[in-house]
């Protein structure tokens, strides 16, 4: 594989990994707004690969809030994909933690865009970190190949 192809793949992985930050930058500034109602629940799902099925624990959340007298609803927790866990106890703790949230952060530009936490990760299985690490590794390989 040529160096240009490795650099292109590396760049695409980096963009994928950093996309939540672009979302956050585009919709900022965020203001804290009280949550009217919040529901968080844990679900057990099967994750299949070629040879086996593994149980994963997914936490779903939905919350309602009001801005300027209008009621909105959101399911976004943080800046990442993930409320997926391999550990049941961690998933239950996350569900309990989310249920106790009292406020969310709402975009002043678009009140439909809200999140509970201004953090990059929430779940233990966050593929964004792997994409960022892979992009850095591929760029390093491409540079090393070029210098050989």
């Amino acid at each position: 594989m040529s160096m240009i192809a490795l650099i292109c793949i590396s760049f695409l992985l980096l963009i994928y990994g950093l996309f939540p930050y672009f979302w956050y930058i585009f919709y900022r500034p965020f203001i804290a707004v009280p949550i009217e109602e919040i529901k968080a629940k844990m679900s057990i799902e099967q994750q299949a690969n070629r040879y086996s099925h593994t149980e994963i624990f997914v936490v779903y959340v939905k919350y309602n809030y009001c801005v300027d007298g209008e009621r909105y609803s959101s399911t976004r927790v943080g800046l990442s994909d993930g409320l997926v866990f391999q550990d049941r106890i961690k998933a239950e703790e996350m569900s309990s933690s989310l249920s106790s949230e009292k406020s969310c952060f709402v975009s002043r530009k678009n009140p439909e865009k809200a999140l509970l936490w201004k953090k990059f990760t929430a779940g233990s299985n966050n593929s964004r970190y792997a994409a960022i690490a892979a992009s850095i590794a591929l760029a390093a390989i491409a540079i090393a190949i070029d210098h050989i």
Side-chain angles (χ1 to χ4, degrees):
M1 194 182 297
S2 73
M3 183 181 92
I4 293 173
L6 284 175
I7 293 294
C8 288
I9 293 169
S10 173
F11 180 73
L12 290 173
L13 285 170
L14 185 64
I15 293 299
Y16 171 76
L18 295 177
F19 183 77
Y21 283 125
F22 296 133
W23 183 92
Y24 179 75
I25 290 168
F26 182 76
Y27 287 111
R28 70 184 170 102
F30 286 84
I31 56 171
V33 172
I35 293 174
E36 291 185 347
E37 178 185 15
I38 187 166
K39 293 180 184 175
K41 67 176 183 169
M42 184 194 70
S43 172
I44 302 170
E45 298 180 7
Q46 295 291 320
Q47 185 176 35
N49 62 26
R50 273 189 189 165
Y51 307 108
S52 67
H53 294 279
T54 307
E55 277 190 344
I56 57 171
F57 305 94
V58 182
V59 177
Y60 295 99
V61 65
K62 184 174 183 177
Y63 53 96
N64 300 317
Y65 57 94
C66 275
V67 175
D68 296 330
E70 249 187 272
R71 188 174 180 160
Y72 297 95
S73 175
S74 182
T75 58
R76 184 176 280 277
V77 174
L79 297 174
S80 67
D81 295 335
L83 290 174
V84 179
F85 298 86
Q86 292 178 347
D87 183 358
R88 181 185 198 112
I89 294 170
K90 287 183 181 179
E92 288 171 347
E93 288 172 354
M94 177 61 71
S95 180
S96 175
S97 174
L98 290 171
S99 295
S100 65
E101 288 293 323
K102 302 294 182 214
S103 63
C104 62
F105 297 95
V106 178
S107 170
R108 286 187 182 169
K109 293 179 184 176
N110 185 352
E112 292 177 357
K113 303 295 183 188
L115 41 94
L116 284 177
W117 300 332
K118 292 196 269 184
K119 293 183 189 178
F120 185 64
T121 187
S124 63
N125 289 352
N126 187 349
S127 62
R128 302 280 181 178
Y129 289 132
I132 293 169
S135 74
I136 293 168
L138 283 175
I141 290 169
I143 292 168
I145 290 172
D146 188 47
H147 288 299
I148 290 178

